[in-house]
Amino acid sequence: MSAAFSFALTATDGAARSGVISTPRGEIRTPAFMPVGTAATVKAMMPESVRATGADILLGNTYHLMLRPTAERIARLGGLHRFMNWERPILTDSGGFQVMSLAELRKLTEEGVTFRSHIDGSRHRLTPERSMEIQKLLGSDIVMCFDECPALPADDKRVAESMRLSMRWAARSKEAFGDRPGHALFGIQQGGVTQELRAESAEALRAIGFDGYAIGGLAVGEGQEAMFGVLDYAPGMLPEDKPRYLMGVGKPDDIVGAVARGVDMMDCVLPSRSGRTGQAFTRRGTVNIKNARHANDPRPLDEDCTCPACRNYSRAYLHHVFRAQEIISSMLLTWHNLHYFQEIMGGMRAAIAEGRFAAWQAAFHAGRAEGDI
Ligand SMILES: C=CCOC(=O)Nc1nc2cc3[nH]c(NC)nc3cc2c(=O)[nH]1
C-alpha cells in the first residue's frame, strides 16, 4: 500500500503499455478493466466475487448515488468502500455524462446542470464544485472532472463549444478538488472526432495538470472504426507518464484495439448488463444462452474457462435457469463475463510485458467467430 497515488509504466510494446497504479487502497494492474458498480453494487455479484474475477478497482456512479441514497448518507455511514464492502480502489464518474443521458428536464448553463431525478422528480443541481464535493463524500480514490459529453450527431461548432465548456469546468474541478494526498483527479479530453479539437483539449488539460487523463466523448454511437480513428492519435496527445482512461468501452475487440493504441484503463456495463440478458462472451465468440439449441447441451459455456459457471454448470442448465428467470442465471452469466474480461486484460498485460502483444492480438482474433456460437 502506498500513501500516495502514483503510476509506474513497466513495459511498452508498440503503442500498448503495461504498468501499475499504486494507491493507499491497493494496486491497479494496467491495462485494467473496471466493472461498473452503479448503485453501490456490481449487479448480481458479491464484492468478494468481483475480486475473484481479478478486478483491482471498480466504478461507482455519482448521478445514481447522489439521488439514492445520497452522498451525505453514505459519508455518514463511513464512505462508499465501507458501505458496499469493497476496500480496494474505487473510481467515481463525475455525473456529467449520466445527467445528460438519464435525468429529466435538464438545463445546462455555464454554471452547471440543473435537472429532475428520474427516480422521484426531485430537483437537483450538478456543478464542478458540487461534483467534487459528492465524490469526496463518497470517498472515491479516483475522482473525475465534471464534463459535458456532446450528444451525436454534433457539428464541429457544437463540439468545440462543448469541449471548451468542459475545459473551463476542468479548471473549476481542479480548484474545487484541492490538495488530497492519496486521491487522484483525472481530466477528461473532449473534442469529438476532430483532431484539432482533441489537440486543443489535451493542451488545456496539460496546462491545468491532472493525475490521469481520460478520453471522453467516445463510444457514443460513432462506431468502432471512427473510435479507433481517434484512438490512433488521441492517447499520444496526453502525458506519457500518466494513466490514460477510455470511458464506456466496450466489447472484447474494442478493448483489445484500445489497448493496442495506448489506453491503460477502461470501464463498461457490457459484461454485467449482457450477463443479465443471457449473453455470454467467450474466446470463440458470444453465446446467447436463451437460444433453444443450448437446451440439451451438457458442455460448459467455454471448455477453457475456469470460472464457477464453466467449471460446474452445463449450457443446458444455464439455458434452463435463464428461461425460468432464476436469480442464479444473472449471477453465473455475470460472473463468467467479468471473469472472461479480466482474462483478456491479464493476457494482454503478460503479452505486453513479454513483448509479444502482436502475436497475442492475432491469436485473440483468430479464435473468434463473428456471430453467436
Ligand atoms: C465514466 C467515468 C468518468 O466519466 C465522466 O465522469 N464523464 C464522462 N463519462 C463518459 C461515459 C461514457 N460512456 C460512454 N459509452 C458507453 N461514452 C462515454 C463518454 C463519457 C464522457 O465523455 N465523459
Side-chain angles (χ1 to χ4, degrees), residues 93-110:
D93 72 347
S94 64
F97 182 79
Q98 291 203 316
V99 160
M100 300 314 277
S101 49
L102 295 173
E104 288 144 18
L105 294 176
R106 302 175 302 265
K107 190 172 177 315
L108 175 70
T109 66
E110 180 71 30

Side-chain angles (χ1 to χ4, degrees), residues 33 35-36 41-46 49-50 52-53 268-281 289 301 305 307-309 318 322 326-342:
F33 180 81
V36 176
T41 159
V42 177
K43 290 178 172 49
M45 296 286 286
M46 300 271 286
S49 306
V50 174
T53 66
C268 193
V269 295
L270 184 65
S272 37
R273 182 175 295 169
S274 55
R276 298 195 300 279
T277 65
Q279 185 176 46
F281 293 90
I289 201 63
L301 283 173
C305 181
C307 86
L318 295 171
F322 183 86
E326 286 295 337
I327 292 168
I328 195 170
S329 172
S330 294
M331 293 164 67
L332 291 172
L333 285 171
T334 301
W335 191 322
H336 167 78
N337 283 345
L338 290 175
H339 175 99
Y340 175 55
F341 272 52
Q342 295 299 343

Side-chain angles (χ1 to χ4, degrees), residues 9-290:
L9 264 184
T10 51
T12 60
D13 188 345
R17 304 129 55 95
S18 64
V20 178
I21 299 173
S22 299
T23 81
R25 289 184 181 274
E27 296 190 336
I28 304 157
R29 297 162 289 176
T30 67
F33 180 81
M34 298 183 281
V36 176
T38 294
T41 159
V42 177
K43 290 178 172 49
M45 296 286 286
M46 300 271 286
E48 46 269 47
S49 306
V50 174
R51 178 58 185 164
T53 66
D56 291 336
I57 177 173
L58 60 79
L59 189 138
N61 286 128
T62 288
Y63 170 76
H64 288 80
L65 294 172
M66 71 182 281
L67 298 181
R68 183 176 57 191
T70 77
E72 285 73 12
R73 173 171 287 133
I74 290 176
R76 282 198 303 273
L77 291 160
L80 185 56
H81 296 81
R82 181 74 227 96
F83 189 57
M84 69 181 289
N85 188 32
W86 171 267
E87 292 302 334
R88 288 181 174 276
I90 294 176
L91 179 150
T92 47
D93 72 347
S94 64
F97 182 79
Q98 291 203 316
V99 160
M100 300 314 277
S101 49
L102 295 173
E104 288 144 18
L105 294 176
R106 302 175 302 265
K107 190 172 177 315
L108 175 70
T109 66
E110 180 71 30
E111 177 65 13
V113 183
T114 59
F115 60 95
R116 284 188 178 280
S117 162
H118 71 286
I119 297 170
D120 61 12
S122 52
R123 292 181 58 75
H124 296 267
R125 193 171 73 130
L126 260 181
T127 63
E129 294 77 15
R130 176 63 179 145
S131 178
M132 294 302 110
E133 180 186 32
I134 289 170
Q135 296 179 73
K136 184 173 186 178
L137 285 166
L138 296 174
S140 62
D141 306 280
I142 301 179
V143 170
M144 298 305 293
C145 281
F146 188 65
D147 68 330
E148 205 241 336
C149 172
L152 290 186
D155 60 30
D156 264 11
K157 183 172 177 301
R158 165 92 181 84
V159 171
E161 282 168 1
S162 172
M163 179 271 288
R164 288 165 189 150
L165 174 63
S166 287
M167 296 305 101
R168 294 192 296 273
W169 284 357
R172 286 171 52 191
S173 297
K174 173 82 181 281
E175 178 67 26
F177 179 78
D179 180 25
R180 301 182 60 207
H183 296 84
L185 178 65
F186 279 24
I188 304 177
Q189 184 199 42
Q190 293 291 347
V193 295
T194 307
Q195 192 159 351
E196 295 75 16
L197 295 176
R198 287 273 168 191
E200 179 184 331
S201 180
E203 283 320 301
L205 295 177
R206 282 171 174 272
I208 300 166
F210 291 100
D211 304 303
Y213 295 81
I215 299 170
L218 294 178
V220 287
E222 74 280 2
Q224 188 184 77
E225 188 182 345
M227 181 176 79
F228 281 174
V230 173
L231 294 177
D232 282 340
Y233 61 75
M237 295 174 168
L238 304 171
E240 189 250 349
D241 63 340
K242 303 287 186 201
R244 298 157 176 172
Y245 165 30
L246 175 63
M247 281 95 79
V249 173
K251 299 191 305 299
D253 53 327
D254 295 331
I255 289 172
V256 172
V259 168
R261 292 168 172 81
V263 169
D264 302 308
M265 301 162 72
M266 279 162 282
D267 83 276
C268 193
V269 295
L270 184 65
S272 37
R273 182 175 295 169
S274 55
R276 298 195 300 279
T277 65
Q279 185 176 46
F281 293 90
T282 79
R283 285 161 186 73
R284 277 177 287 284
T286 54
V287 175
N288 259 314
I289 201 63
K290 58 177 171 281

